[in-house]
Structure formats: C-alpha cells, structure tokens
C-alpha cells in the first residue's frame, strides 16, 4: 500500500540525515517544510519535500492535508501500560492529605496493583491493556516502551511480559519491553528486602532472561524502595543477562541514582523531578538520556523536572507519559507535550523534539523512528486544521489529531 499526503501546511521534524538525538540549543530547532508532501510505501517514508517539487507521484491512496500539520508519531519511552484495575481510592486519599509515600508505606500503591494483578487472568490483563494501547495509538503514539513491575513474583512478572509480547505481536506498533521486578518489595518479603533482592538476582532475572521477554532492566531507585547498592546489584544481574539498564531516579529524593545509571550506560534515567548539580554533571558528555514525566508531576502535585536547567546545560531531554494506575492514569502524549511547555517552560520545538526523536533514543529506536527521514518507519500524525504547530501544545486538553499512521497503516 502506498499513501501520498499532499498540501501539508507544515511538515515537521524533517531530517535529511537520520539523527540520534538533539541536545541543548539544538532542541529549539525543529526543521520543517511549508506546503509539503510526503510519500509512504508499505511501512516506510520514501520521499517528502515541497509541493513545488512533487512531480508525477502516483500512490494507491492520497490524503489531502490542506490546513493540517504533519509530524512524526509520538515515541513514548516510559509506560507501565500493562496493569490490572485502577487506584482511584488512592487518588481521593491524596486529595484528603495522604502523600504517595504514606500510601505506599500502608501497603497501598504498587503493592495494591500487584495484588489486583495476581488475581487477574492473563487474558483479562491482555484485554484491559489492549484498550489502553488502542487509546494511545489513536492519540498519536507510534512507538512505546512498556514495563512489567506489578507482578513482583516470577509467575506474575512473566504474565505481564507475555502480555506485552502479545500486544507487540497483535498490534502494528513498536513495543519495547522492560523488566521492572525491582519496583517494590512484595508483601511476601515484608521486612526482608535482602531476601527479595536475592530472589531477583538468583532466580527471577535469570529465568526472565531465558524467555528473552525483556530488552531492558529497570529499578525504582528511591528512598524506602531500592538504595544505590540494591540498584547496582540488580542492574549488574540484568547486564550479565544482556539486558540494558533504564532507571527510575530522583522522583522524590536525589542521592546518586543518575550517576549510577550513567556509570552502567543506562539508556535513560527517568523522572528527575529533583535534580542536583551533580546529576547534571554526571549526564554531561554521556550517552544516557534524561527523561521527564510531566503528567506524573501534574497528577501527584510534585515538582516538575527542571527542564530549563537540563537543556540550558547542553543536555538532551525526552518526555514520556508514565502511563500507570498510581501516579499517571493517562497515556496521552499530547497532554505531556502541552504540560512540558506550560509547566516546564519548554518551547513547542523543544517539547516536540523531546517527544519524538529524543523519546525514540530513550528506547533505542532512533534509527527507525522519531523523525521524517527517508527510510524511517512511516509513523505519522496528521492534525486537524490548525493555524501552526504552536497550536498543538497551546490547545491543551483538545484532541487535534485527525489521522494517525503507524508503520504505514492508518489507525482505524
Ligand atoms: O513511575 N515510581 C515508580 N513507578 C511508577 C508508579 C507506580 C505506581 O504507583 O503504581 C512511576 O511513577
């Protein structure tokens, strides 16, 4: 199937040479072509340019994008989309004054989700997750990372990872699976964190590795969850089994998780609501992508990642949804982009770069996703008629997406 999109008002993120990521001042640059066309063959972008130079192009389907903006689909590099049930009572508890940490200490939070998941069949878990995946695809997400972490036993973690694999097989979208067994200390190991870490390192990680169901290994490196020493031990076990580190760091406390991630060549360090000068220093000149999760800050009422500090220090930054039942029950990347602009003072260019090419980098998918480049996958958002691309983050809460194309296929 070939698709020709014509009369595009603005074609965004056009990169002749595939780039890996954009950092610092480059993040303010968003290359675009006004009055453009784009040609897709099968699942690939084969040509694009100004309407003046379109020549005699023939395609099986033509979409007239007069008045519309076209850009790469969002690359959401941090989600926990496979979960069971909801946690709206904790939402109310927080309104009434309890903190996230207090709820977790009382056995709620992640442990609450783990208990629901344990009693949910694999098929039910799949069906619940399918609904969320379709919803985010329609909202423009064209590549997604999904973590386990609501299992906390070998059996339940495998159940989640198998569901992630089924989603990957059944839907036409890039899915990157991450093992997050170190998300919390399960009830069975209450007061025996060392015992759970032994179980992770000696049994669960080697078994997960045999199945090849996870590309990345993640740890919730946070006070009352996993210390630096715990995190390093778990990461090393994952690395030994060819998993690449990604980390949850600095969500509530900053105590060296960023430098630890960098030391182990983490693909990304995510959250960063609290950032210290030493974190910025650790990231400089290295390959690890910092990832901010603005909808999580919005929902929990915690600080926003200081994007200006990171970008103005010359660093790259990606933004992602963090879709999960506890801290971010939304996978809407359009809201993420708006919130990054409104609350983190990122410019629309920076936010769009952060949610496309840098998001792709944060999940190791930058060679095929995240920009309009010949040879890359045809993952495309076509907006409604809007004045220009600044309108995308400006019109927060509106759905201005007309059509989404993922791997060359229109999402119905
Ligand atoms: O990224 N912080 C750790 N993990 C998730 C939240 C987990 C939960 O509360 O369910 C996050 O925010």
């Amino acid at each position: 199937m070939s698709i020709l999109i014509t009369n595009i008002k603005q074609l965004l993120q056009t990169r002749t040479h595939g780039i890996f990521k954009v950092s610092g001042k480059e993040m303010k640059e968003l290359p675009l072509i006004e009055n453009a066309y784009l040609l897709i063959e099968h699942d690939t972008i084969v040509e694009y340019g100004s309407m003046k130079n379109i020549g005699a192009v023939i395609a099986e389907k033509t979409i007239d994008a007069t008045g519309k903006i076209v850009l790469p689909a969002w690359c959401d590099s941090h989600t926990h989309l496979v979960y069971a049930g909801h946690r709206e009572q904790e939402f109310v508890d927080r309104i009434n004054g309890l903190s996230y940490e207090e709820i977790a200490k009382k056995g709620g939070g992640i442990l609450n989700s783990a208990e629901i998941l344990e009693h949910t069949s694999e098929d039910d878990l799949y069906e619940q997750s399918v609904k969320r995946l379709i919803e985010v695809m329609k909202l423009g997400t064209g590549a997604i990372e999904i973590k386990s972490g609501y299992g906390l036993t070998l059996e339940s973690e495998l159940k989640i990872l198998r569901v992630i694999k089924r989603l990957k097989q059944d839907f036409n979208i890039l899915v990157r699976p991450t093992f997050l067994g170190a998300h919390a200390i399960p009830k069975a190991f209450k007061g025996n964190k060392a015992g759970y870490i032994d179980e992770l390192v000696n049994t669960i990680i080697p078994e997960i590795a045999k199945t090849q169901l996870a590309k990345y290994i993640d740890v919730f490196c946070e006070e009352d969850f996993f210390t630096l020493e715990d995190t390093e031990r778990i990461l090393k076990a994952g690395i030994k089994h060819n998993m690449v580190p990604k980390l949850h760091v600095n969500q509530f406390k900053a105590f060296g998780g960023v430098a630890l991630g960098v030391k182990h060549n983490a693909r990304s360090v995510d959250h960063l609501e609290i950032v210290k000068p030493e974190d910025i220093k650790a990231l400089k000149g290295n390959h690890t992508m910092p990832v901010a999760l603005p909808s999580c800050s919005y929902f929990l009422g915690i600080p926003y990642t200081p994007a200006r500090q990171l970008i103005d220090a010359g660093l790259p930054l990606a933004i992602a949804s963090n879709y999960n039942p506890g801290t971010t029950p939304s996978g809407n990347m359009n809201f993420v982009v708006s919130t990054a602009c409104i609350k983190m003072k990122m410019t629309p260019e920076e936010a769009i770069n952060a949610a496309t090419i840098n998001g792709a980098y944060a999940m190791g998918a930058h060679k095929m996703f995240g920009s309009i480049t010949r040879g890359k996958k045809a993952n495309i958002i076509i907006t409604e008629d809007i004045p220009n691309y600044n309108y995308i983050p400006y019109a927060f809460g509106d759905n201005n997406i007309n059509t989404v194309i993922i791997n060359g296929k229109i999402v119905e």
Side-chain angles (χ1 to χ4, degrees):
M1 170 81 163
S2 53
I3 303 176
L4 175 65
I5 310 173
T6 57
N7 301 314
I8 303 166
K9 189 183 222 171
Q10 293 180 318
L11 176 63
L12 308 185
Q13 192 63 302
T14 49
R15 306 273 181 177
T16 320
H17 302 292
I19 45 154
F20 286 5
K21 59 179 174 178
V22 285
S23 310
K25 287 197 178 79
E26 298 163 1
M27 285 195 67
K28 278 209 169 70
E29 290 160 21
L30 185 65
L32 65 85
I33 302 174
E34 309 261 0
N35 191 22
Y37 75 95
L38 175 74
L39 178 64
I40 296 167
E41 266 170 27
H42 306 293
D43 62 351
T44 305
I45 295 169
V46 291
E47 201 45 88
Y48 64 86
S50 162
M51 281 301 285
K52 281 186 221 139
N53 306 323
I54 187 166
V57 183
I58 297 169
E60 284 152 88
K61 183 177 173 68
T62 300
I63 300 174
D64 181 0
T66 300
K68 300 178 167 63
I69 312 285
V70 171
L71 68 155
W74 307 126
C75 297
D76 188 354
S77 67
H78 183 132
T79 85
H80 308 247
L81 176 141
V82 175
Y83 60 83
H86 301 101
R87 306 223 303 264
E88 66 278 6
Q89 184 53 49
E90 292 175 8
F91 165 67
V92 177
D93 291 344
R94 275 201 312 280
I95 294 171
N96 287 323
L98 283 185
S99 69
Y100 180 80
E101 295 95 318
E102 283 163 345
I103 292 168
K105 275 193 186 138
K106 284 171 55 175
I110 297 166
L111 296 186
N112 185 356
S113 288
E115 189 159 347
I116 305 171
L117 190 135
E118 193 188 332
H119 299 106
T120 302
S121 73
E122 193 160 323
D123 282 342
D124 189 0
L125 184 63
Y126 172 78
E127 292 305 334
Q128 293 186 36
S129 307
V130 161
K131 279 197 194 137
R132 290 189 278 266
L133 185 62
I134 293 175
E135 166 208 304
V136 299
M137 287 165 72
K138 286 185 179 162
L139 288 167
T141 296
I144 190 165
E145 183 258 15
I146 308 177
K147 300 172 197 295
S148 69
Y150 291 117
L152 309 177
T153 62
L154 175 60
E155 199 188 327
S156 292
E157 285 294 309
L158 281 171
K159 178 157 84 178
I160 302 173
L161 290 167
R162 283 192 300 266
V163 167
I164 298 175
K165 186 177 178 190
R166 257 173 93 183
L167 294 173
K168 192 173 170 174
Q169 284 167 346
D170 296 352
F171 290 85
N172 180 37
I173 179 169
L174 179 90
V175 176
R176 288 283 200 234
T178 298
F179 172 64
L180 176 59
H183 200 191
I185 320 303
K187 272 194 189 134
F189 285 87
K190 195 168 183 215
N192 180 20
K193 185 171 70 166
Y196 183 53
I197 296 174
D198 284 345
E199 173 84 357
L200 276 172
V201 167
N202 300 327
T203 309
I204 302 184
I205 292 174
E207 286 301 319
I208 299 279
K210 274 189 212 156
T211 65
Q212 298 193 327
L213 286 169
K215 179 175 170 63
Y216 293 103
I217 178 144
D218 198 342
V219 178
F220 187 14
C221 180
E222 186 60 59
E223 198 174 272
D224 296 328
F225 288 84
F226 295 92
T227 64
L228 284 182
E229 293 70 32
D230 302 335
T231 303
E232 184 156 43
R233 192 167 165 226
I234 297 160
L235 283 190
K236 279 185 174 167
I239 293 166
K240 194 172 138 201
H241 288 94
N242 298 320
M243 294 180 202
V244 176
K246 279 171 86 71
L247 280 184
H248 281 66
V249 291
N250 297 32
Q251 183 173 5
F252 301 104
K253 297 270 157 57
F255 51 84
V258 173
L260 182 71
V262 170
K263 175 179 162 196
H264 289 285
N265 279 319
R267 186 81 218 165
S268 68
V269 283
D270 303 26
H271 271 289
L272 305 170
E273 285 85 346
I274 311 295
V275 172
K276 289 186 172 169
E278 50 267 39
D279 298 318
I280 293 182
K281 203 169 151 209
L283 285 162
K284 275 198 164 178
N286 284 303
H287 301 295
T288 300
M289 175 66 72
V291 180
L293 309 168
S295 314
C296 176
S297 300
Y298 172 83
F299 188 72
L300 289 186
I302 61 175
Y304 286 86
T305 301
R308 287 267 54 94
Q309 270 182 48
L310 295 163
I311 296 172
D312 295 347
L315 292 173
L317 184 64
I319 51 178
S321 76
N322 194 27
Y323 199 175
N324 77 73
T327 69
T328 322
S330 161
N332 186 343
M333 282 295 286
N334 306 287
F335 182 77
V336 171
V337 170
S338 284
T339 310
C341 295
I342 297 163
K343 294 292 187 183
M344 289 158 58
K345 301 290 172 224
M346 291 172 75
T347 65
E349 295 81 4
E350 287 172 333
I352 292 171
N353 274 317
T356 56
I357 188 63
N358 284 359
Y361 180 93
M363 58 177 133
H366 49 282
K367 290 192 182 148
M368 295 309 277
F369 296 89
S371 64
I372 303 294
T373 302
R374 291 175 193 91
K376 277 199 176 183
K377 294 288 180 197
N379 272 24
I380 307 290
I381 292 172
I382 307 176
T383 68
E384 299 289 3
D385 288 19
I386 56 174
N388 54 57
Y389 67 79
N390 291 330
Y391 195 86
I392 299 172
Y394 160 83
F396 84 98
D398 280 2
N399 183 354
N400 276 306
I401 294 187
N402 178 285
T403 305
V404 179
I405 299 175
I406 300 182
N407 288 326
K409 292 209 174 83
I410 296 173
V411 176
E412 301 293 352

